Amino acid sequence: MAAGCSEHGFLVEEIGGTKGVPDVVDHIPSPRLAAYVHAVRGYRPQPGGWARLRLVPSTRMKIDISLGQPPELADSGAAPTAAVYGLRTRPTTLTRFDGPSINVDLTPPGAYALLAVPLWKVTDTVIDLVDAVGHGADRIVPRLTEATGWPERMALLDDALTAWTETGPRPAPQVLRAWYRLRHSHGRIPIERLAAEVGWTRRHLLNQFRTQIGLTPKAAARVIRFQHGLHLLRLPGPRRSLADLAQAVGYSDQAHLTREFGSLADVTPAQLGTVVPISSRFNA
């Protein structure tokens, strides 16, 4: 299997149905959303085209809005037209069809501010944006569908995201500090030390972190190590051995690395070595 990978958790497995290259639009969100949104991407297959994606554990939650035929998830059928994807601890596959779609990668503060539920309730599942957000979310899909092009769509989405985040809660400073410490250590800081640094008991950190991030600190560290491995696997230049990769990421040995990739992505590290390119034809 050839696959492209990135931190947002979509691995491109196969593009078919047409020889044309999909249109991809990378949009820079409004500065007002800097603390809440990592990235926004518009995607449109060529007519008759489709793309099969693998969803793997990542450090980002996402909103995925389909303006054509809704995508299909392997484990649950058709996804909502406007869907919220929680953090994952196991893989699944998604197939896109005709019609534009917009994917929003959220930071943990952004996800917590947007959603009206504890984030652990969204883990390993997909829910309708209306059920997750409210705040007029039922109107966003018709407005995006009626928009005349990508710039208008992105401006509408910026306004909606800004309104939703302004009315939502904010994660506790201790949770944010713990999250960023985990990120900066590539998931290798002991949880006891993390709790001591933020001044909480381990149990209190676990409960608050799970509510405001979506995973326990231990599960989050596992996902961060996995994503770090994906990043190192994609670096240009001579390919490092899997034994060296395992050591760099913090796995005990190559067998541990292979088990983790199998559990979290249902593929081996070697199967992620070939990137499927998706070109960007124009900017929003």
Side-chain angles (χ1 to χ4, degrees):
M1 177 192 70
C5 56
S6 71
E7 190 177 9
H8 62 66
F10 281 176
L11 309 184
V12 181
E13 290 191 327
E14 187 177 0
I15 298 172
T18 178
K19 295 182 179 180
V21 177
D23 289 327
V24 176
V25 177
D26 288 312
H27 169 68
I28 299 175
S30 163
R32 298 172 296 177
L33 296 169
Y36 305 106
V37 178
H38 274 296
V40 179
R41 168 167 285 190
Y43 177 90
R44 182 175 59 204
Q46 292 297 309
W50 54 268
R52 186 172 67 244
L53 311 174
R54 182 176 298 268
L55 275 62
V56 300
S58 78
T59 56
R60 301 180 185 181
M61 291 185 63
K62 58 185 85 292
I63 297 172
D64 195 66
I65 301 173
S66 302
L67 305 181
Q69 181 180 348
E72 290 187 0
L73 285 159
D75 53 4
S76 56
T81 298
V84 175
Y85 290 74
L87 296 183
R88 303 196 65 83
T89 63
R90 57 181 183 266
T92 188
T93 57
L94 176 146
T95 304
R96 293 195 186 281
F97 303 100
D98 276 349
S101 61
I102 303 174
N103 183 264
V104 182
D105 281 353
L106 300 172
T107 68
Y112 189 61
L114 276 166
L115 305 187
V117 297
L119 294 191
W120 60 263
K121 290 190 174 183
V122 193
T123 300
D124 284 321
T125 191
V126 179
I127 63 175
D128 195 292
L129 181 66
V130 175
D131 296 332
V133 176
H135 306 309
D138 57 327
R139 297 191 294 272
I140 190 62
V141 173
R143 295 182 69 193
L144 291 173
T145 302
E146 294 167 2
T148 57
W150 287 115
E152 185 179 351
R153 290 181 189 127
M154 296 306 184
L156 286 169
L157 190 60
D158 273 2
D159 289 343
L161 291 170
T162 299
W164 297 337
T165 55
E166 285 178 348
T167 59
R170 300 294 182 267
Q174 294 90 338
V175 170
L176 287 181
R177 182 179 177 187
W179 170 253
Y180 290 119
R181 286 287 284 128
L182 277 176
R183 291 293 309 276
H184 293 157
S185 71
H186 300 302
R188 300 178 72 170
I189 182 172
I191 306 306
E192 291 81 2
R193 179 178 165 189
L194 200 60
E197 286 188 6
V198 303
W200 282 353
T201 65
R202 179 186 175 113
R203 179 178 293 276
H204 190 60
L205 175 62
L206 184 154
N207 291 335
Q208 295 301 311
F209 198 95
R210 185 167 173 257
T211 294
Q212 299 178 30
I213 300 296
L215 300 173
T216 66
K218 183 176 180 180
R222 186 184 181 206
V223 170
I224 290 167
R225 285 195 300 271
F226 167 70
Q227 281 287 337
H228 187 210
L230 287 182
H231 170 73
L232 295 179
L233 195 62
R234 291 192 68 194
L235 289 177
R239 188 67 54 85
R240 68 175 73 198
S241 71
L242 294 183
D244 287 344
L245 180 63
Q247 183 178 24
V249 175
Y251 296 134
S252 56
D253 52 28
Q254 181 177 333
H256 187 192
L257 168 72
T258 301
R259 287 196 303 273
E260 284 293 273
F261 271 62
S263 176
L264 296 174
D266 199 24
V267 293
T268 67
Q271 288 174 307
L272 293 176
T274 304
V275 176
V276 174
I278 298 182
S279 65
S280 179
R281 291 191 170 185
F282 50 94
N283 295 317

